[in-house]
Amino acid sequence: MAAPTDAKKRTQPPWEPPSGAGCPKLHLYNSLTRRKEPFVPQEGKKVTWYSCGPTVYDASHMGHARSYISFDILRRVLTYYFDYDILYVMNITDIDDKIIKRGRTNYLMDRYLLEASSPEQRLKDVQEAMKMFESKLNKETNPDKKQMYIGIAKATTEATEGLQSTLKSQKEGSEIEKSTKVMLEAARDPLCDWLDAEHGSEVKDKSIFFKLTQHWEREYHKDMDALNVLPADVLTRVSEYVPEVIAYTQKIVDNGFGYESNGSVYFTTSKFDTAPGHHYAKLVPEAFGDQEALKEGEGDLCISQDRLSEKRSANDFALWKASKPGEPAWDSPWGQGRPGWHIECSVMASSILGGSMDIHTGGVDLKFPHHDNELAQAEAHYDNDHWVHYFLHSGHLTIAGCKMSKSLKNFVTIKDALKQYTSRQIRLVFLLHSWKDTLDYSADTMDVAVQYEKTVNEFFLNVKAILRDAPSSGPEAFEKWNQPELDLNEKFETCRSKVNEALCDSVDTKMALESMRALIGQCNVYMQERRAAKAPPNRRLLQNAAVYITKMLRVFGAIEGDEPIGFPMSGAAQNVNVEETVMPYLQVLSEFREQVRQTARQQKAVDILKLCDALRDDILPDLGVRLEDREEGAAVVKLVDKETILRERQLAKQQAEEKQRKKEEAKRKEQEKQAAKDAQRRIPPSQMFLQETSKYSAFDDKGMPTHDAEGKELSGKQIKKLAKLYQAQEKLYNEYLKVSEATPSNDSVSAATNLS
C-alpha cells in the first residue's frame, strides 16, 4: 500500500552523548611546581624518563629499594595501565668521592692487615688513629653523625682497654690474638681514616676503584632482579662518559656559566640565576646558600680549605675536579681530573634524551643540591629553561623514625630484608603507601603487607576452589543473576572506578589497594551468604573479580607470570600450569581421605583419624598443599606456595608459644599477687607499721604511729588515715586466723593418718 502523499515527513531525533562525568586524566605530583599537574608528554604517547641510579661502593639497602621499587611501580602503571611508550634511562655512578675513599681504604686496610706487626704496634696504631678520629668527632655538627662517632669511639676505647688488659696479664697467644682482632674490628673506621691520611696519596692503580664498583654493581643488579624491578632500557656509567663530560663542561664555560680555577672547573650560580630565562634552585629555592648541603654535594675529598678557596663564591659547585694524588684521573683541557658528581647525570641524560625530557626521578634527599645543580648545568648548556618537565621524588625510608642512611650506618640491606620477607611482601608495603611520602620500615609496617598478601591469596584460593566445581563452558557455565549478584557486580564496578581514579590521582596505589581489599571483603561476604543458604555462588562473577585483582597486581609488579588468577607457584617450570596438572589427583586424594575418615568415625578407629589429620597437618603442607575440612563433603584443596605454608606454620607456632608464654606469665603474676596478699594477711595489725622506720619514729601500745621520721607529732588527719589502714589489716588478719583454726596443719594431718 502506498504511503499517503500528505504524510508528515518523519526525521530521526538527534543523538546526544550520556551526561556522565567522563574519565579522569592522569595527574602526577611534580616537585617543580609542588602540586599535581596533568601529565602531558612532549610527543603523544612517547615518554622519555631518566632516573638517578646508585653510587656503587657498598651493598644496596632498603632505602634504595624505596626509590627503585617506587619508580618501578610508576613505570609499570604508566606502561601497562595507561599504555605509554617509555624509554627508561638510568645511570650507575662509578666515579665519586665515596667510591674513591672506600676503594683506597679497603686496599690500604687489606695491605695493613697482611703486614707482619705485633699486637703492641697494632695498639699503638689504633691509639694514633683515635687522636685523628676524636678531632673529627669534636668538629662534627650533625647530631646523627656525632652520635654515630661517639658510639664508634666508645667501642674502640673498650676494645683497646681489653687488649691492654690481656697484654698486661700475659695470657696465652690465642687470647692476645683474639683481643687484637676485636680491637681492629671496632676501630676499623678510625684506622681506615688514619691509613688514608697517611698513605692514600700512594694509591695510583685505577683498577682498585673499578674492582670495587664492578663488584657492587653486580650485587645491585642481583638485588633488583630479586625485587622484580624491571631493568632500565639504557644503563649509563660515568666512567664510559668522561669525554662527553669534558665536552659538556666546555660548552657551559663557553656559554659564560663556568670558570677554571687551579685545574678544576666551577659553575657560577649567581651569574646563572641572574641571567634572563634562567632560575637556580628551582626545586628547593629556600635551600639556596645552604653551605652544609653544598659541602656534602661536593664530596668528602673536596671540602678542604684549599679546595674551597678555589671558588669565586661559596655557592658555586664543581663541574670538573682536579685530581689529587691517590685519585683516578683523566686528561682534560684543564689538566688531569675527574667529573664532578652533579655533571654526570646532566651529561648522561642529555646524551640519550637530548635537550629536554618528560620525567626525571630520584630520592627526595637528592632535590638539593644534586637535582637543582643538574637542572642548572643542563639549562646552562642548552640555554633553555625546561630541561625536565616532571620531577618525581620518592619519599624517605626510616627505621623507627630515623633516616636510613649508609653514612650513618643505619640501614638494612636488601639481602637481609629478603631473608625475612618475600619480594612481593616488600613491594606490597610500598604499594600500601604513597610513593612520595616518608615510610617507616618496621615489623609492624611489614606485618600489614604480610596480612594484605594473605587476604588476597585466600581470596584467590577460595575462588579457584569454587571454579573447580563448575563447568568452564557451555550453558551450565552461565547462571541467573539475582539481587545478590547485581549488588556484588555494582560493588565490582565501584572498585574498578575507584582504582582508576586513584591511579589517575598521581598513581595513588594506596587507595587502589584499599579499594581492591574492600572488593575482596565484599566477595567473601557474598560467598559466605551463599554457603549459609546452601546455594552455589555465581562462579563467573567471582572469576571476573579475581581475574581483575590478579591483573592489577600484575600491573603493579606484585605478580609474575601469566596465570589468570592468583599468585604463581614458586619453582614451577615455565609454561607448566602446576594447578591444572596436579589438582585432579589431589581432588581424588581428598575424596578418598574423606571416605576413610567417615569409616573411621563409624568404627571409632582413633588411630586412623590421627593418620588422616597427620596427612592434612604435616605431610601435604610440606608439598605446598592445604586441606581445609568442611562440614559436608571432601576437604577443599588449595595449592599454596610451600614457603608460604611453612611461614604460616612457623607463625602459628610462634603465636601459640607466645600465647602460652603470656598465659604462664599471667598465672605467675596472679600467684605472686595471691602470695603477697596471703603474706599481707598473716601480719598482725600491731606489727604492720613498726617496720616502717623511714616514715615513723614513735608508736603507741597498739603499734599505731604517733610521730613521723623527724620526730614531729602526726596530725589528726594523718592518724585518721592510718587508723583506717589499721582496721582493714585487722579485718584481714582475723579472717586469716579463722581459716587457720578451721584448717588442720600438716603435722596434725600426719598424726591423724598415723593413728588410723
Side-chain angles (χ1 to χ4, degrees):
M1 179 179 176
T5 55
D6 60 348
K8 182 179 178 181
K9 186 176 180 182
R10 305 187 65 82
T11 58
Q12 186 75 7
W15 179 86
E16 293 182 3
S19 57
C23 182
K25 300 290 179 67
L26 172 62
H27 287 63
L28 294 175
Y29 183 86
N30 191 350
S31 296
L32 286 165
T33 61
R34 301 191 184 187
R35 62 173 180 262
K36 296 171 187 175
E37 304 284 5
F39 181 60
V40 183
Q42 298 172 89
E43 296 182 41
K45 299 292 283 186
K46 179 183 175 183
V47 175
T48 51
W49 186 332
Y50 180 83
S51 188
C52 274
T55 301
V56 283
Y57 69 99
D58 205 340
S60 299
H61 56 65
M62 287 299 292
H64 296 118
R66 171 61 167 143
S67 290
Y68 300 125
I69 293 179
S70 294
F71 300 145
D72 185 68
I73 291 166
L74 290 173
R75 180 184 175 191
R76 287 171 181 272
V77 169
L78 264 64
T79 301
Y80 303 127
Y81 189 83
F82 291 106
D83 199 30
Y84 285 107
D85 299 321
I86 296 174
L87 178 63
Y88 190 86
V89 182
M90 191 186 79
N91 77 294
I92 295 288
T93 296
D94 61 353
I95 303 173
D96 177 80
D97 284 38
K98 291 186 179 73
I99 291 169
I100 294 169
K101 189 169 182 181
R102 180 63 63 85
R104 276 198 321 229
T105 54
N106 282 357
Y107 168 76
L108 292 170
M109 190 67 176
D110 289 344
R111 189 177 74 177
Y112 174 79
L113 294 175
L114 288 172
E115 292 171 355
S117 188
S118 67
E120 289 81 3
Q121 183 60 47
R122 299 285 199 212
L123 178 61
K124 184 179 177 181
D125 291 342
V126 169
Q127 289 171 334
E128 195 65 31
M130 282 306 296
K131 293 177 185 177
M132 190 174 118
F133 187 77
E134 283 166 5
S135 174
K136 178 180 177 180
L137 188 159
N138 294 331
K139 292 176 183 176
E140 184 57 58
T141 56
N142 182 302
D144 293 328
K145 281 190 178 180
K146 196 173 187 72
Q147 195 60 40
M148 179 186 69
Y149 292 159
I150 289 171
I152 292 171
K154 182 181 177 182
T156 303
T157 300
E158 290 174 355
T160 53
E161 289 174 353
L163 178 57
Q164 286 173 325
S165 175
T166 304
L167 290 170
K168 284 180 182 177
S169 62
Q170 297 182 338
K171 291 186 178 179
E172 59 184 31
S174 61
E175 286 295 317
I176 295 174
E177 185 179 348
K178 182 180 178 182
S179 294
T180 305
K181 185 178 180 182
V182 168
M183 180 192 68
L184 292 174
E185 287 175 355
R188 183 176 178 87
D189 284 357
L191 197 54
C192 281
D193 285 345
W194 178 68
L195 288 169
D196 194 47
E198 293 289 314
H199 305 288
S201 60
E202 301 168 10
V203 179
K204 302 182 186 300
D205 188 356
K206 276 186 189 178
S207 66
I208 289 170
F209 308 110
F210 293 124
K211 180 181 178 182
L212 175 77
T213 58
Q214 287 163 5
H215 168 76
W216 287 117
E217 184 187 338
R218 278 193 297 271
E219 292 303 305
Y220 164 79
H221 289 303
K222 289 177 185 176
D223 289 339
M224 292 303 105
D225 288 344
L227 292 173
N228 193 31
V229 171
L230 295 171
D233 296 312
V234 183
L235 188 76
T236 62
R237 298 179 185 86
V238 186
S239 59
E240 299 170 347
Y241 281 80
V242 174
E244 288 86 345
V245 168
I246 293 169
Y248 205 93
T249 301
Q250 185 63 60
K251 179 71 181 296
I252 293 172
V253 173
D254 293 343
N255 287 351
F257 297 111
Y259 60 91
E260 185 270 341
S261 177
N262 200 26
S264 295
V265 181
Y266 294 96
F267 188 86
T268 315
T269 55
S270 58
K271 186 173 182 180
F272 177 80
D273 191 51
T274 55
H278 290 304
H279 304 85
Y280 179 65
K282 286 182 178 180
L283 291 165
V284 196
E286 62 270 26
F288 192 111
D290 183 341
Q291 292 306 305
E292 285 301 315
L294 288 166
K295 284 180 182 178
E296 191 170 341
E298 290 296 78
D300 291 343
L301 303 179
C302 296
I303 58 175
S304 59
Q305 195 55 46
D306 59 326
R307 286 279 197 179
L308 296 175
S309 64
E310 294 173 356
K311 301 194 290 185
R312 294 175 184 172
S313 166
N315 294 328
D316 295 348
F317 57 89
L319 301 172
W320 181 262
K321 300 177 180 180
S323 291
K324 293 180 178 180
E327 298 177 3
W330 288 261
D331 290 330
S332 80
W334 315 286
Q336 289 268 301
R338 57 191 174 88
W341 176 35
H342 313 298
I343 193 70
E344 64 179 59
C345 287
S346 299
V347 171
M348 291 185 287
S350 297
S351 295
I352 306 299
L353 304 178
S356 67
M357 71 187 76
D358 294 305
I359 296 175
H360 192 316
T361 48
V364 67
D365 54 317
L366 298 178
K367 274 187 178 183
F368 185 87
H370 185 54
H371 287 158
D372 271 324
N373 289 354
E374 265 192 66
L375 285 166
Q377 293 162 158
E379 291 170 1
H381 178 273
Y382 288 110
D383 195 22
N384 65 24
D385 195 40
H386 53 269
W387 188 57
V388 174
H389 291 274
Y390 297 85
F391 237 122
L392 313 181
H393 287 97
S394 61
H396 283 302
L397 190 78
T398 60
I399 302 179
C402 298
K403 179 185 175 185
M404 186 177 287
S405 167
K406 248 184 221 172
S407 61
L408 297 177
K409 300 185 184 296
N410 175 47
F411 64 94
V412 176
T413 66
I414 290 172
K415 284 182 173 59
D416 284 343
L418 286 169
K419 291 175 185 175
Q420 193 170 5
Y421 302 104
T422 66
S423 169
R424 182 187 301 126
Q425 289 164 351
I426 292 172
R427 183 170 290 253
L428 283 171
V429 86
F430 294 136
L431 286 165
L432 288 164
H433 293 78
S434 170
W435 55 269
K436 66 180 183 64
D437 293 341
T438 297
L439 187 156
D440 194 52
Y441 179 79
S442 66
D444 289 342
T445 310
M446 287 304 305
D447 187 55
V448 173
V450 171
Q451 291 304 315
Y452 189 95
E453 179 190 48
K454 186 175 180 180
T455 297
V456 174
N457 194 37
E458 284 303 310
F459 170 67
F460 288 148
L461 294 173
N462 288 331
V463 172
K464 285 180 177 181
I466 288 171
L467 293 177
R468 282 198 296 272
D469 296 334
S472 59
S473 60
E476 296 81 5
F478 298 91
E479 299 147 315
K480 180 184 177 182
W481 280 24
N482 294 306
Q483 194 59 47
E485 286 72 36
L486 292 169
D487 292 343
L488 181 59
N489 187 64
E490 184 179 349
K491 291 167 183 172
F492 182 21
E493 293 299 329
T494 299
C495 170
R496 290 202 283 197
S497 178
K498 285 184 176 180
V499 168
N500 186 64
E501 288 176 15
L503 297 183
C504 287
D505 185 18
S506 196
V507 192
D508 186 353
T509 56
K510 177 183 177 182
M511 186 56 65
L513 261 66
E514 289 301 331
S515 299
M516 290 160 57
R517 192 207 304 262
L519 175 61
I520 288 172
Q522 291 152 355
C523 288
N524 288 339
V525 170
Y526 169 76
M527 287 187 280
Q528 289 168 4
E529 289 175 346
R530 296 287 85 198
R531 197 177 302 119
K534 298 190 182 299
N538 189 287
R539 300 170 178 91
R540 191 163 292 274
L541 179 54
L542 291 171
Q543 181 182 32
N544 290 343
V547 167
Y548 170 75
I549 291 171
T550 302
K551 171 193 165 186
M552 292 312 304
L553 290 175
R554 185 174 291 116
V555 166
F556 298 146
I559 289 182
E560 299 178 69
D562 54 4
E563 292 181 24
I565 294 177
F567 301 133
M569 300 293 293
S570 66
Q574 193 173 7
N575 300 323
V576 174
N577 189 317
V578 175
E579 194 158 351
E580 286 184 3
T581 304
V582 305
M583 194 53 73
Y585 303 99
L586 291 174
Q587 201 68 43
V588 169
L589 175 63
S590 176
E591 291 168 0
F592 174 74
R593 174 178 170 273
E594 181 59 23
Q595 292 173 6
V596 171
R597 288 177 73 219
Q598 293 298 336
T599 303
R601 281 201 186 98
Q602 292 169 6
Q603 298 181 7
K604 298 182 180 180
V606 176
D607 289 342
I608 294 177
L609 287 171
K610 287 181 179 179
L611 289 172
C612 290
D613 289 346
L615 179 68
R616 176 195 62 203
D617 299 333
D618 302 322
I619 300 171
L620 290 178
D622 286 338
L623 300 174
V625 179
R626 187 195 295 160
L627 291 184
E628 294 181 358
D629 288 323
R630 49 187 176 180
E631 292 181 7
E632 296 180 7
V636 176
V637 183
K638 293 181 178 179
L639 269 188
V640 184
D641 185 74
K642 179 181 176 181
E643 292 180 2
T644 300
I645 285 187
L646 293 177
R647 278 197 303 273
E648 287 176 354
R649 290 167 66 186
Q650 182 63 26
L651 180 61
K653 182 182 178 183
Q654 290 172 352
Q655 289 173 341
E657 289 174 350
E658 180 65 13
K659 186 177 179 181
Q660 182 63 26
R661 187 192 65 78
K662 287 181 178 179
K663 185 178 178 181
E664 290 174 357
E665 180 69 12
K667 184 179 178 181
R668 183 185 63 78
K669 287 182 178 179
E670 184 60 33
Q671 289 172 342
E672 289 177 355
K673 184 178 177 183
Q674 187 61 43
K677 189 175 179 181
D678 290 342
Q680 180 67 28
R681 291 171 63 189
R682 293 190 183 97
I683 300 173
S686 59
Q687 299 292 319
M688 67 182 293
F689 296 118
L690 294 180
Q691 295 178 354
E692 298 185 22
T693 54
S694 62
K695 294 182 180 180
Y696 312 110
S697 60
F699 307 84
D700 63 16
D701 55 355
K702 291 174 61 178
M704 280 285 292
T706 58
H707 294 73
D708 65 16
E710 297 176 357
K712 185 179 177 182
E713 189 174 354
L714 298 178
S715 66
K717 187 176 180 180
Q718 288 174 310
I719 291 174
K720 187 176 180 181
K721 184 178 179 182
L722 293 172
K724 286 185 178 180
L725 295 174
Y726 188 96
Q727 290 167 5
Q729 182 62 26
E730 191 173 37
K731 183 179 178 182
L732 286 173
Y733 185 67
N734 289 335
E735 289 175 355
Y736 162 70
L737 291 176
K738 287 179 182 178
V739 173
S740 297
E741 290 171 1
T743 306
S745 67
N746 290 337
D747 292 340
S748 301
V749 172
S750 298
T753 303
N754 291 334
L755 287 172
S756 63

